[in-house]
Structure formats: structure tokens, C-alpha cells
Amino acid sequence: VKTLGVKFADIVGQERLKHWFINVLKSQSLGHAYAFCAEEGMGKSFLSHVFSKMLLCEACQNLEMYDRDDSKETLFMEVCDVCQHCKTFDGEAHPDFYRLKREKASIGVDDVRRLKEHIHIKPMYAKHKIFLIPESELMTPQAQNALLKTIEDPPPHVLFFLLTTQFQTYLPTIQSRVVKLDLEKYSPNEISAFLKSRDGKLLQMEWITKISDGNLGMALKMVEDAHFLEMREAVFAHVVALFEKKEGEDMALFSYLDKNKEWIGTILNMFALFFRDLLALQYDNWENILINVDKKDIMISRKKMVSPNQLLHWLDQTEKVKLGLSMNVGFGLSVEYWIISLFR
Ligand SMILES: [Zn+2]
């Protein structure tokens, strides 16, 4: 996680969480255990690292906050990037920052024991000793029990940051002893502001902003992953072929899906979003709700080739095959049945 050069005031989104953090610092009311909760790609790891660095940095110790736009509402505090704390933190070598690295597929008792060996050692340089547990939803119940005692009655300098995609997998005893911090979905404006700062074509970004559904990490992955963009072009070509009832398209579609089996969920979502857009285009003035805006012209030129009922049928069948695959109905059978239903 790169925190060097990051300005707290420039971090996109998560206003509530940033506001909360600054207030906790201001009132010096930091607790001992926090759980950052959100799905993959939302920035749990990034934010927890930024907060950790601020808690360690020399320049932040005197709590000098500033007000960038004189609103008296948005206070900021920035790390210096040059003190010993910042340098060792960025070099992943700060002795008072411990990031748990799991050795197996789950986080077991041994992992927690290794972490606990450090807990009673006083911080060497900083005010706090920070323990960060990524993917904490992977903690076994035994590991959680091993952690519980420390979370219940921690030494005063200890601070836990747990990152999780599923808060509900914690034992109730853990749930009641950590403060839950939910990350919020990013707004379309926040996502496009972020993507724009990273370059890229505007039209392409508009659909990515919509398709990513408030997940900044997902949006970024889509922009940077060429395979994802290729896949979308291929799916769109298949949608057009389907419209034109092109000879041999059923076989071509099956072979494409078979070759891209591991992406089947994403591919089916892309189909569903094209069908949804085409359905929207059947009605007047619905153009503004399009997701695949960059394909608008081609879709408009094809929209009379198919009826709303047909599109509803396609959408329905696509949802069904997704459900079947999630319930482990065989790939070949589900996909074959789906293709037959598309051509019916
Ligand atoms: Zn510093």
C-alpha cells in the first residue's frame, strides 16, 4: 500500500470516515479496536494505512489541523513524509506497526499468537503500537478466541485495525468489542474525478463509472485491465450478432464462453447490461439512463430489430443461468440451455 506523497485532503470520497478520524484525533478519544468493513476494492487497506501513518508521524503529534477552504467544517492534518516514522512506515519497517501476514488459507491461532508476542512490548518510538489484520474475515473461531482477551483488555498503547469484507463472520464477543467503521459507496462524481486524474478516454470512463456501482477499486481495475475492455468489446459483438440472427452465432457464442469460463459471471453481467440498455432504448427519453453510453449509436440503429418482450425474455434467461451457475449446475449444460433460449 503506497502512502508516500498522499495528501489526506486529496483523498477521494469517504468523507464521513475521514471526518470521524479527524474528530477522534482532535478530541483524543481514540479507542482500541476498529473494524473497517466493506467489499473488496473499496479502500479499506489504503485508508487504514493512511490513518496508521498519521498516528505515527512526528508532524501529526502536535495535532496541528488546517482548514483548506475556510469552511470551518473540513479540517485536515498531513503527514510530513520526511520524519523517521514516515520513512520507516513507507519502507514497511516501522517497529510499532505490525501487519499480520497469514501463512495458510485462513488466519489461525498460530498467526494470532505471533501477533500477540509483540503486544506487551511497549512501542519503541511512537505513542501507539498498531496491529493491522487484513482479511480478518478469514480468522478461524479459535483464532478469534485467541485474539479476544487482548481486545477485551489491551495494554493502553495498543490499537487494532481489523479489515473485513464480512463483519457478521466475527464471533458475537468480537463484534461487541470492536467499533464498526463502514466505508461508503463512492458517488459517480467521486469515481469520475478519480479516474480523470488517472487519464483515460472520457466516454469509456462514463460507462465504467456506472458499471462499477460505487466501487472505486473495481472501476480502477476496469480502466487498467486491458482484458476486461477486450471482453466487453467481444460481448458487444456477440450481442449485435444475436440481434442480426447471424448464421452460426450460437456455436460461436458457446465456444467464446467455453474459452472464457473463469470470467463467466462478468460476461453474463455484461450481456445483461447490454440487454437492459437496449430495453431502455425502446422507450422515449430513457437515453439518459444508459450504462453503455459509448455504444449508444450502434444500439439505437439496431433497436427496432428486436421487441421489448424479446429483451425481457433474454434478461430473464440471463438471470436464470447466473442463478444456476451459482448453484453449481454444470457449466456446459447451463450455458447451452441459455444459448438455446436466446435463439428461441
Ligand atoms: Zn512524518
Side-chain angles (χ1 to χ4, degrees), residues 39-42 208 211-224 228:
E39 59 182 40
E40 206 52 55
M42 292 294 288
I208 285 173
I211 218 173
S212 61
D213 191 29
N215 186 323
L216 195 62
M218 172 86 88
L220 187 61
K221 205 171 143 203
M222 288 181 201
V223 178
E224 289 180 342
F228 188 90

Side-chain angles (χ1 to χ4, degrees), residues 85-100:
H85 293 285
C86 284
K87 280 186 180 162
T88 48
F89 187 88
D90 289 328
E92 290 178 40
H94 198 295
D96 298 320
F97 179 73
Y98 184 97
R99 186 178 199 278
L100 187 136

Side-chain angles (χ1 to χ4, degrees), residues 257 268 271 317-318 321 334-342:
L257 296 177
L268 289 169
F271 268 100
Q317 293 300 323
T318 309
V321 67
S334 316
V335 166
E336 213 169 300
Y337 182 80
W338 178 63
I339 293 175
I340 291 170
S341 74
L342 294 182

Side-chain angles (χ1 to χ4, degrees), residues 53 56-60 79-87:
K53 190 174 167 185
L56 298 170
C57 169
E58 195 96 23
C60 293
V79 295
C80 69
D81 272 347
V82 293
C83 72
Q84 206 56 28
H85 293 285
C86 284
K87 280 186 180 162

Side-chain angles (χ1 to χ4, degrees), residues 264-265 268-269 272 317-327:
I264 188 70
L268 289 169
N269 278 337
Q317 293 300 323
T318 309
E319 286 312 313
K320 275 190 189 139
V321 67
K322 274 163 62 184
L323 189 69
L325 288 167
S326 74
M327 284 161 42

Side-chain angles (χ1 to χ4, degrees), residues 202-211 232 236 273-274 276-277 281 286-300:
L202 190 68
L203 266 181
Q204 196 177 78
M205 285 181 340
E206 209 172 325
W207 71 264
I208 285 173
T209 301
K210 286 182 177 173
I211 218 173
R232 179 170 172 271
F236 188 62
L273 289 169
F274 281 123
R276 172 209 171 272
D277 277 359
L281 284 174
W286 278 31
E287 281 178 31
N288 55 339
I289 68 155
L290 290 189
I291 286 175
N292 299 285
V293 273
D294 57 322
K295 305 287 186 205
K296 190 169 108 183
D297 294 341
I298 310 175
M299 288 197 291
I300 287 177

